[in-house]
């Protein structure tokens, strides 16, 4: 993940450089990057909390990758996040704003 983000950032900067000085960058495929990630044994599919969450964050720090956090504003967005995480076999944080969380959970939870 770190390589992809770095490559994307370099690609954006290169867009503003004169054509004669632009270098070509090879971005590794997401599936190739994700296949190198072997999550800790305590991390199971689904909602991760407690010790498993601490293990996951420590592992990400140790291996030098970020866990993407997506602010979901609809059930379609949540489904897209979960599909992407499943496709690339990697962790993802689905986050909500306070209002978004109340809307998704219902007014009784507020």
């Amino acid at each position: 993940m770190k390589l992809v983000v770095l490559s994307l950032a370099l690609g954006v900067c290169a867009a503003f450089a004169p054509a004669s000085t632009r270098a070509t960058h090879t971005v590794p495929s997401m599936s190739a990057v994700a296949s190198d990630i072997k999550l800790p044994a305590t991390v199971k599919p689904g909602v991760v909390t407690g010790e498993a969450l601490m293990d996951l964050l420590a592992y990400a720090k140790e291996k030098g990758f970020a866990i993407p956090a997506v602010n979901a504003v609809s059930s379609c967005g949540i489904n897209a996040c979960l599909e992407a995480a499943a496709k690339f076999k990697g962790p993802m944080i689905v986050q909500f704003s306070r209002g978004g969380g109340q809307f998704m959970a219902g007014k009784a939870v507020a």
Side-chain angles (χ1 to χ4, degrees):
M1 189 64 123
K2 185 176 178 181
L3 294 174
V4 174
V5 173
L6 177 60
S7 295
L8 291 175
L10 290 173
V12 171
C13 294
F16 296 104
S20 61
T21 61
R22 289 184 194 163
T24 57
H25 300 285
T26 304
V27 178
S29 70
M30 288 300 292
S31 57
V33 173
S35 66
D36 294 340
I37 298 173
K38 303 294 181 212
L39 298 178
T42 56
V43 178
K44 306 292 182 210
V47 177
V48 179
T49 61
E51 183 181 342
L53 177 60
M54 297 307 292
D55 291 346
L56 176 61
L57 295 174
Y59 179 76
K61 184 177 181 180
E62 174 189 322
K63 297 296 183 182
F65 69 90
I67 301 172
V70 180
N71 187 32
V73 295
S74 68
S75 58
C76 295
I78 296 168
N79 288 338
C81 291
L82 296 176
E83 287 175 13
K87 179 178 178 180
F88 296 113
K89 298 178 177 73
M92 178 178 290
I93 299 169
V94 180
Q95 62 188 18
F96 300 92
S97 65
R98 181 183 189 113
Q102 289 173 343
F103 176 78
M104 294 301 290
K107 291 183 179 182
V109 177

